[in-house]
Amino acid sequence: MGTGLVLDILLRRHIPVKWGLCAVPPMASSEILRSLAGVKKMWEYQLTVTTFILTFFLSHAYGYWQKVYDTTRMIQGRINDFCILLVVGAQRGKDGVDTEGSRGYSDASRALVDRCTRLIRLSHTFFWAATPTASNGLTDSEEFIRDAANCPVPIDDEHIGPLMLSSYGLKALVASGQLTVQEAEDLINTSLPPTQYAYVLLVWVGLQSMEGMEKGVLRGGNGFEENLLRQLTTLRASLFDIDDFRAGRMPLAYVQLVQVMVDSLMMLAPFALYAELGSLSIPLVGLLTLFFRGLLQVSKSLLDPFGVEGFTEQNIRVDVLVSELNFGAAKRWRRA
Protein backbone atom coordinates (compact mmCIF):
# COMPACT_ATOMS: atom_id res chain seq x y z
CA MET A 1 0.00 0.00 0.00
CA GLY A 2 2.87 2.37 0.72
CA THR A 3 4.29 1.83 -2.76
CA GLY A 4 0.92 2.57 -4.32
CA LEU A 5 0.52 5.76 -2.30
CA VAL A 6 3.97 7.02 -3.31
CA LEU A 7 3.26 6.15 -6.95
CA ASP A 8 -0.03 8.05 -6.86
CA ILE A 9 1.61 11.19 -5.42
CA LEU A 10 4.46 11.15 -7.93
CA LEU A 11 2.23 10.68 -10.97
CA ARG A 12 -0.15 13.43 -9.89
CA ARG A 13 2.81 15.81 -9.62
CA HIS A 14 4.42 14.95 -12.97
CA ILE A 15 1.34 14.55 -15.18
CA PRO A 16 -0.13 17.93 -16.14
CA VAL A 17 -3.70 16.62 -16.50
CA LYS A 18 -5.61 16.50 -13.24
CA TRP A 19 -8.16 13.84 -12.21
CA GLY A 20 -10.34 13.18 -9.20
CA LEU A 21 -9.35 11.16 -6.16
CA CYS A 22 -11.42 8.12 -7.13
CA ALA A 23 -11.31 8.73 -10.90
CA VAL A 24 -9.37 6.70 -13.44
CA PRO A 25 -6.27 8.58 -14.65
CA PRO A 26 -6.37 9.66 -18.36
CA MET A 27 -4.08 7.12 -20.02
CA ALA A 28 -3.67 9.12 -23.24
CA SER A 29 -2.21 12.06 -21.37
CA SER A 30 0.99 10.31 -20.27
CA GLU A 31 3.49 7.87 -21.70
CA ILE A 32 4.10 6.57 -18.18
CA LEU A 33 0.48 5.45 -17.81
CA ARG A 34 0.59 3.69 -21.20
CA SER A 35 3.73 1.86 -20.06
CA LEU A 36 1.97 0.78 -16.86
CA ALA A 37 -0.78 -0.76 -18.98
CA GLY A 38 1.86 -3.09 -20.44
CA VAL A 39 3.01 -3.97 -16.93
CA LYS A 40 -0.58 -4.91 -16.11
CA LYS A 41 -0.69 -7.40 -18.99
CA MET A 42 2.43 -9.14 -17.70
CA TRP A 43 1.13 -9.01 -14.13
CA GLU A 44 -2.11 -10.76 -15.12
CA TYR A 45 -0.17 -13.73 -16.48
CA GLN A 46 1.82 -13.93 -13.26
CA LEU A 47 -1.38 -13.60 -11.21
CA THR A 48 -2.84 -16.68 -12.90
CA VAL A 49 0.26 -18.80 -12.39
CA THR A 50 0.83 -17.64 -8.80
CA THR A 51 -2.79 -18.25 -7.81
CA PHE A 52 -2.66 -21.79 -9.17
CA ILE A 53 0.68 -22.63 -7.55
CA LEU A 54 -0.26 -21.07 -4.20
CA THR A 55 -3.58 -22.92 -3.95
CA PHE A 56 -1.82 -26.18 -4.86
CA PHE A 57 0.84 -25.40 -2.25
CA LEU A 58 -1.85 -24.80 0.38
CA SER A 59 -3.61 -28.04 -0.53
CA HIS A 60 -0.38 -30.01 -0.25
CA ALA A 61 0.49 -28.35 3.08
CA TYR A 62 -2.93 -29.17 4.53
CA GLY A 63 -2.62 -32.77 3.33
CA TYR A 64 0.74 -32.99 5.10
CA TRP A 65 -0.68 -31.52 8.33
CA GLN A 66 -3.63 -33.93 8.19
CA LYS A 67 -1.34 -36.95 7.75
CA VAL A 68 0.76 -35.90 10.75
CA TYR A 69 -2.34 -35.29 12.88
CA ASP A 70 -3.90 -38.62 11.87
CA THR A 71 -0.65 -40.38 12.76
CA THR A 72 -0.59 -38.82 16.24
CA ARG A 73 -4.12 -40.10 16.77
CA MET A 74 -3.14 -43.49 15.36
CA ILE A 75 -0.38 -43.72 17.95
CA GLN A 76 -2.94 -43.10 20.68
CA GLY A 77 -5.27 -45.64 19.13
CA ARG A 78 -2.71 -48.44 18.99
CA ILE A 79 -1.72 -47.91 22.64
CA ASN A 80 -5.38 -47.93 23.68
CA ASP A 81 -5.95 -51.10 21.64
CA PHE A 82 -3.00 -52.78 23.33
CA CYS A 83 -4.25 -51.76 26.78
CA ILE A 84 -7.79 -53.03 26.22
CA LEU A 85 -6.46 -56.35 24.89
CA LEU A 86 -4.15 -56.62 27.89
CA VAL A 87 -6.98 -55.96 30.34
CA VAL A 88 -9.42 -58.33 28.61
CA GLY A 89 -6.83 -61.12 28.55
CA ALA A 90 -5.65 -60.63 32.14
CA GLN A 91 -6.16 -63.57 34.46
CA ARG A 92 -9.06 -63.17 36.89
CA GLY A 93 -8.80 -63.67 40.63
CA LYS A 94 -11.20 -65.31 43.04
CA ASP A 95 -11.74 -62.42 45.44
CA GLY A 96 -13.31 -60.23 42.74
CA VAL A 97 -12.56 -56.79 44.16
CA ASP A 98 -9.42 -55.03 45.32
CA THR A 99 -9.07 -51.79 47.28
CA GLU A 100 -7.96 -49.79 44.25
CA GLY A 101 -11.17 -50.22 42.29
CA SER A 102 -10.04 -52.95 39.84
CA ARG A 103 -12.42 -55.90 39.71
CA GLY A 104 -11.43 -59.47 39.16
CA TYR A 105 -7.64 -59.27 38.64
CA SER A 106 -5.44 -61.87 40.24
CA ASP A 107 -2.39 -60.55 42.03
CA ALA A 108 -0.07 -61.57 39.20
CA SER A 109 -2.27 -60.15 36.43
CA ARG A 110 -2.79 -56.89 38.33
CA ALA A 111 0.97 -56.46 38.61
CA LEU A 112 1.42 -57.25 34.91
CA VAL A 113 -1.32 -54.82 33.80
CA ASP A 114 0.08 -52.07 36.00
CA ARG A 115 3.62 -52.61 34.76
CA CYS A 116 2.76 -52.81 31.05
CA THR A 117 0.39 -49.85 31.05
CA ARG A 118 2.91 -47.76 32.97
CA LEU A 119 5.75 -48.61 30.61
CA ILE A 120 3.76 -48.05 27.43
CA ARG A 121 2.50 -44.70 28.72
CA LEU A 122 6.06 -43.72 29.52
CA SER A 123 7.19 -44.87 26.08
CA HIS A 124 4.65 -42.51 24.53
CA THR A 125 5.86 -39.66 26.74
CA PHE A 126 9.51 -40.39 25.97
CA PHE A 127 8.79 -40.36 22.25
CA TRP A 128 7.30 -36.87 22.36
CA ALA A 129 10.07 -35.72 24.70
CA ALA A 130 12.58 -36.74 22.01
CA THR A 131 10.56 -35.02 19.26
CA PRO A 132 11.01 -31.23 18.94
CA THR A 133 7.67 -29.57 19.74
CA ALA A 134 6.46 -26.24 21.07
CA SER A 135 3.61 -27.35 23.32
CA ASN A 136 4.88 -29.04 26.46
CA GLY A 137 1.93 -27.66 28.42
CA LEU A 138 4.10 -26.47 31.30
CA THR A 139 4.39 -22.92 30.01
CA ASP A 140 0.60 -22.61 30.20
CA SER A 141 0.89 -22.45 33.99
CA GLU A 142 1.80 -19.14 35.62
CA GLU A 143 3.15 -21.00 38.66
CA PHE A 144 5.51 -23.01 36.44
CA ILE A 145 6.72 -19.87 34.69
CA ARG A 146 7.58 -18.28 38.05
CA ASP A 147 9.43 -21.41 39.19
CA ALA A 148 11.25 -21.76 35.86
CA ALA A 149 12.66 -18.24 36.15
CA ASN A 150 14.55 -19.28 39.30
CA CYS A 151 15.63 -22.71 38.07
CA PRO A 152 19.33 -23.09 37.12
CA VAL A 153 18.44 -25.78 34.57
CA PRO A 154 16.84 -24.56 31.29
CA ILE A 155 13.30 -25.95 31.12
CA ASP A 156 11.76 -24.03 28.26
CA ASP A 157 10.10 -25.59 25.19
CA GLU A 158 13.45 -26.35 23.60
CA HIS A 159 15.03 -28.06 26.63
CA ILE A 160 12.21 -29.72 28.58
CA GLY A 161 12.20 -32.88 26.41
CA PRO A 162 15.96 -33.57 26.55
CA LEU A 163 15.86 -32.80 30.26
CA MET A 164 13.28 -35.53 30.85
CA LEU A 165 15.42 -38.03 28.96
CA SER A 166 18.59 -37.11 30.84
CA SER A 167 19.82 -38.89 33.98
CA TYR A 168 18.40 -35.97 35.96
CA GLY A 169 14.98 -36.56 34.42
CA LEU A 170 15.13 -40.32 34.98
CA LYS A 171 15.85 -39.71 38.67
CA ALA A 172 12.82 -37.44 38.86
CA LEU A 173 10.68 -40.16 37.23
CA VAL A 174 11.96 -42.69 39.77
CA ALA A 175 11.09 -40.30 42.60
CA SER A 176 7.57 -39.86 41.20
CA GLY A 177 7.01 -43.61 40.87
CA GLN A 178 6.90 -43.68 37.07
CA LEU A 179 10.10 -45.72 36.84
CA THR A 180 11.82 -48.13 39.20
CA VAL A 181 15.47 -47.69 40.09
CA GLN A 182 16.34 -50.87 38.18
CA GLU A 183 14.45 -49.73 35.08
CA ALA A 184 16.26 -46.37 35.07
CA GLU A 185 19.62 -48.11 35.39
CA ASP A 186 18.73 -50.55 32.62
CA LEU A 187 17.81 -47.70 30.28
CA ILE A 188 21.17 -46.05 30.85
CA ASN A 189 23.02 -49.36 30.54
CA THR A 190 21.62 -49.97 27.06
CA SER A 191 24.19 -47.38 25.86
CA LEU A 192 21.58 -46.15 23.37
CA PRO A 193 20.88 -42.44 22.81
CA PRO A 194 18.07 -41.12 25.03
CA THR A 195 15.97 -40.62 21.88
CA GLN A 196 15.72 -44.43 21.67
CA TYR A 197 14.38 -44.96 25.19
CA ALA A 198 10.79 -44.98 23.90
CA TYR A 199 11.52 -48.02 21.74
CA VAL A 200 13.39 -49.78 24.52
CA LEU A 201 10.29 -49.51 26.68
CA LEU A 202 8.18 -50.94 23.85
CA VAL A 203 10.45 -53.99 23.78
CA TRP A 204 10.07 -54.36 27.54
CA VAL A 205 6.29 -54.22 27.21
CA GLY A 206 6.40 -56.96 24.58
CA LEU A 207 8.68 -59.12 26.71
CA GLN A 208 6.47 -58.69 29.78
CA SER A 209 3.41 -59.63 27.73
CA MET A 210 5.05 -62.76 26.31
CA GLU A 211 6.18 -63.80 29.76
CA GLY A 212 2.65 -63.33 30.99
CA MET A 213 1.34 -65.54 28.21
CA GLU A 214 3.85 -68.27 29.06
CA LYS A 215 2.95 -68.20 32.75
CA GLY A 216 -0.80 -68.11 32.12
CA VAL A 217 -1.18 -64.62 33.60
CA LEU A 218 -2.61 -63.56 30.22
CA ARG A 219 -5.36 -65.77 28.82
CA GLY A 220 -5.80 -66.42 25.12
CA GLY A 221 -4.45 -68.46 22.27
CA ASN A 222 -2.26 -67.79 19.28
CA GLY A 223 -4.71 -65.28 17.83
CA PHE A 224 -4.65 -63.20 21.00
CA GLU A 225 -0.85 -63.26 21.10
CA GLU A 226 -0.62 -62.27 17.43
CA ASN A 227 -3.07 -59.39 17.90
CA LEU A 228 -1.24 -58.13 20.97
CA LEU A 229 2.11 -58.09 19.16
CA ARG A 230 0.55 -56.54 16.06
CA GLN A 231 -0.52 -53.53 18.11
CA LEU A 232 3.08 -53.03 19.26
CA THR A 233 4.56 -53.35 15.78
CA THR A 234 1.92 -51.03 14.29
CA LEU A 235 2.63 -48.58 17.08
CA ARG A 236 6.34 -48.73 16.26
CA ALA A 237 5.60 -48.03 12.60
CA SER A 238 3.45 -45.01 13.49
CA LEU A 239 6.19 -43.61 15.73
CA PHE A 240 8.67 -43.94 12.88
CA ASP A 241 6.19 -42.23 10.53
CA ILE A 242 6.32 -39.03 12.60
CA ASP A 243 10.07 -38.75 12.09
CA ASP A 244 9.70 -39.61 8.40
CA PHE A 245 7.08 -36.89 7.92
CA ARG A 246 9.27 -34.31 9.63
CA ALA A 247 12.29 -35.25 7.54
CA GLY A 248 10.54 -35.27 4.15
CA ARG A 249 7.72 -32.76 4.42
CA MET A 250 8.55 -30.65 1.31
CA PRO A 251 11.65 -29.60 -0.69
CA LEU A 252 12.94 -26.23 0.49
CA ALA A 253 13.33 -25.02 -3.11
CA TYR A 254 9.57 -25.37 -3.66
CA VAL A 255 8.79 -23.27 -0.59
CA GLN A 256 11.26 -20.61 -1.71
CA LEU A 257 9.80 -20.58 -5.23
CA VAL A 258 6.29 -19.92 -3.89
CA GLN A 259 7.65 -17.18 -1.61
CA VAL A 260 9.42 -15.44 -4.50
CA MET A 261 6.34 -15.64 -6.73
CA VAL A 262 4.05 -14.15 -4.10
CA ASP A 263 6.52 -11.39 -3.19
CA SER A 264 7.11 -10.40 -6.81
CA LEU A 265 3.38 -10.44 -7.53
CA MET A 266 2.72 -8.06 -4.65
CA MET A 267 5.63 -5.80 -5.63
CA LEU A 268 4.28 -5.37 -9.18
CA ALA A 269 0.64 -5.01 -8.13
CA PRO A 270 0.71 -1.20 -7.46
CA PHE A 271 2.24 -0.51 -10.90
CA ALA A 272 -0.02 -2.98 -12.73
CA LEU A 273 -3.30 -1.77 -11.24
CA TYR A 274 -2.74 1.98 -11.17
CA ALA A 275 -3.33 2.64 -14.87
CA GLU A 276 -6.93 1.36 -14.70
CA LEU A 277 -7.88 2.07 -11.09
CA GLY A 278 -5.89 5.12 -10.06
CA SER A 279 -6.01 5.82 -6.33
CA LEU A 280 -8.44 2.95 -5.82
CA SER A 281 -5.55 0.58 -6.50
CA ILE A 282 -4.04 1.47 -3.10
CA PRO A 283 -6.66 -0.33 -0.92
CA LEU A 284 -6.99 -3.08 -3.53
CA VAL A 285 -3.26 -3.84 -3.30
CA GLY A 286 -3.65 -4.05 0.46
CA LEU A 287 -6.47 -6.59 0.10
CA LEU A 288 -4.47 -8.65 -2.40
CA THR A 289 -1.46 -8.61 -0.09
CA LEU A 290 -3.61 -9.73 2.83
CA PHE A 291 -5.07 -12.56 0.77
CA PHE A 292 -1.92 -13.91 -0.88
CA ARG A 293 0.45 -13.46 2.04
CA GLY A 294 -2.20 -14.82 4.38
CA LEU A 295 -2.55 -18.00 2.32
CA LEU A 296 1.23 -18.33 2.21
CA GLN A 297 1.47 -17.88 5.98
CA VAL A 298 -1.25 -20.47 6.58
CA SER A 299 0.55 -22.90 4.27
CA LYS A 300 3.82 -22.45 6.17
CA SER A 301 2.11 -22.97 9.50
CA LEU A 302 0.57 -26.22 8.21
CA LEU A 303 4.06 -27.38 7.23
CA ASP A 304 5.15 -26.78 10.84
CA PRO A 305 2.56 -28.91 12.70
CA PHE A 306 4.44 -28.84 16.02
CA GLY A 307 5.29 -25.13 15.96
CA VAL A 308 9.06 -25.55 16.30
CA GLU A 309 9.82 -23.00 13.57
CA GLY A 310 7.67 -20.24 15.00
CA PHE A 311 4.43 -21.01 13.16
CA THR A 312 2.20 -21.82 16.13
CA GLU A 313 -1.17 -21.07 14.51
CA GLN A 314 -1.91 -24.69 13.55
CA ASN A 315 0.16 -26.26 16.32
CA ILE A 316 -0.71 -29.85 17.29
CA ARG A 317 -0.79 -29.81 21.09
CA VAL A 318 1.48 -32.65 22.17
CA ASP A 319 0.74 -32.04 25.85
CA VAL A 320 -2.95 -32.76 25.12
CA LEU A 321 -2.04 -35.96 23.28
CA VAL A 322 0.03 -37.16 26.24
CA SER A 323 -2.59 -36.28 28.85
CA GLU A 324 -5.38 -37.97 26.87
CA LEU A 325 -3.32 -41.14 26.46
CA ASN A 326 -2.29 -41.17 30.11
CA PHE A 327 -5.93 -41.09 31.18
CA GLY A 328 -6.92 -43.89 28.83
CA ALA A 329 -3.99 -46.21 29.53
CA ALA A 330 -3.81 -45.58 33.28
CA LYS A 331 -7.48 -45.44 34.25
CA ARG A 332 -10.11 -46.10 31.58
CA TRP A 333 -9.19 -49.65 30.57
CA ARG A 334 -7.70 -50.74 33.86
CA ARG A 335 -10.82 -49.75 35.83
CA ALA A 336 -13.28 -51.01 33.24
Side-chain angles (χ1 to χ4, degrees):
M1 291 180 66
T3 303
L5 181 61
V6 173
L7 179 65
D8 182 53
I9 294 174
L10 291 177
L11 290 178
R12 287 179 182 276
R13 287 183 177 179
H14 289 84
I15 297 177
V17 180
K18 304 299 180 183
W19 62 93
L21 181 63
C22 296
V24 177
M27 190 173 300
S29 63
S30 173
E31 183 66 27
I32 298 178
L33 293 177
R34 289 193 292 270
S35 300
L36 291 180
V39 175
K40 181 178 184 297
K41 193 68 176 177
M42 179 188 67
W43 183 82
E44 287 176 345
Y45 287 120
Q46 185 180 358
L47 175 64
T48 302
V49 175
T50 303
T51 301
F52 172 77
I53 291 180
L54 182 58
T55 52
F56 182 78
F57 181 66
L58 176 61
S59 175
H60 184 85
Y62 177 72
Y64 169 79
W65 183 92
Q66 189 66 55
K67 286 194 297 184
V68 174
Y69 178 78
D70 289 345
T71 304
T72 62
R73 290 302 186 183
M74 191 179 300
I75 291 171
Q76 286 184 316
R78 298 296 73 75
I79 294 178
N80 280 302
D81 289 346
F82 176 85
C83 290
I84 193 173
L85 286 171
L86 187 71
V87 168
V88 169
Q91 183 186 59
R92 302 302 165 183
K94 297 180 180 180
D95 53 351
V97 182
D98 64 21
T99 58
E100 297 179 356
S102 299
R103 295 179 178 273
Y105 292 131
S106 66
D107 292 339
S109 65
R110 183 185 305 114
L112 178 64
V113 168
D114 289 345
R115 188 181 309 114
C116 288
T117 54
R118 174 175 58 82
L119 291 177
I120 202 167
R121 284 189 295 111
L122 202 56
S123 172
H124 181 252
T125 303
F126 277 3
F127 171 76
W128 289 119
T131 303
T133 63
S135 56
N136 57 45
L138 297 176
T139 53
D140 296 339
S141 170
E142 294 182 0
E143 181 180 357
F144 172 81
I145 294 175
R146 289 195 301 268
D147 293 341
N150 300 321
C151 182
V153 180
I155 46 178
D156 54 13
D157 287 331
E158 185 177 351
H159 297 90
I160 188 66
L163 177 62
M164 175 178 286
L165 298 173
S166 66
S167 58
Y168 178 86
L170 295 181
K171 291 179 181 179
L173 290 172
V174 170
S176 62
Q178 298 302 313
L179 274 178
T180 65
V181 175
Q182 186 62 50
E183 289 168 347
E185 291 178 354
D186 290 342
L187 281 175
I188 296 174
N189 291 336
T190 60
S191 300
L192 290 171
T195 55
Q196 303 303 305
Y197 286 171
Y199 306 110
V200 173
L201 294 181
L202 281 185
V203 174
W204 291 0
V205 171
L207 292 174
Q208 293 287 338
S209 301
M210 292 302 95
E211 184 180 355
M213 291 285 295
E214 294 173 358
K215 294 181 177 180
V217 180
L218 287 180
R219 304 168 301 170
N222 295 333
F224 177 82
E225 180 180 354
E226 179 186 0
N227 200 356
L228 203 64
L229 292 178
R230 185 187 302 117
Q231 302 307 322
L232 290 178
T233 55
T234 307
L235 171 60
R236 192 280 315 159
S238 297
L239 295 177
F240 275 34
D241 283 343
I242 293 294
D243 288 333
D244 292 340
F245 288 146
R246 291 177 54 246
R249 52 183 179 176
M250 184 175 290
L252 180 60
Y254 185 29
V255 180
Q256 292 176 335
L257 172 65
V258 178
Q259 180 74 62
V260 170
M261 294 190 69
V262 171
D263 289 345
S264 59
L265 183 72
M266 293 302 100
M267 289 175 60
L268 291 174
F271 304 97
L273 297 175
Y274 189 84
E276 291 189 4
L277 298 176
S279 301
L280 292 177
S281 65
I282 299 174
L284 179 58
V285 169
L287 289 176
L288 288 173
T289 302
L290 178 65
F291 175 73
F292 280 92
R293 291 191 184 277
L295 284 179
L296 183 59
Q297 187 74 7
V298 170
S299 301
K300 288 181 178 180
S301 68
L302 291 172
L303 289 174
D304 184 24
F306 300 115
V308 295
E309 296 179 3
F311 299 99
T312 58
E313 293 83 358
Q314 314 301 328
N315 186 14
I316 297 175
R317 295 296 304 240
V318 171
D319 55 316
V320 176
L321 297 176
V322 172
S323 62
E324 289 176 347
L325 189 279
N326 285 345
F327 170 76
K331 297 180 180 180
R332 181 192 294 123
W333 309 123
R334 182 179 177 277
R335 297 182 180 180

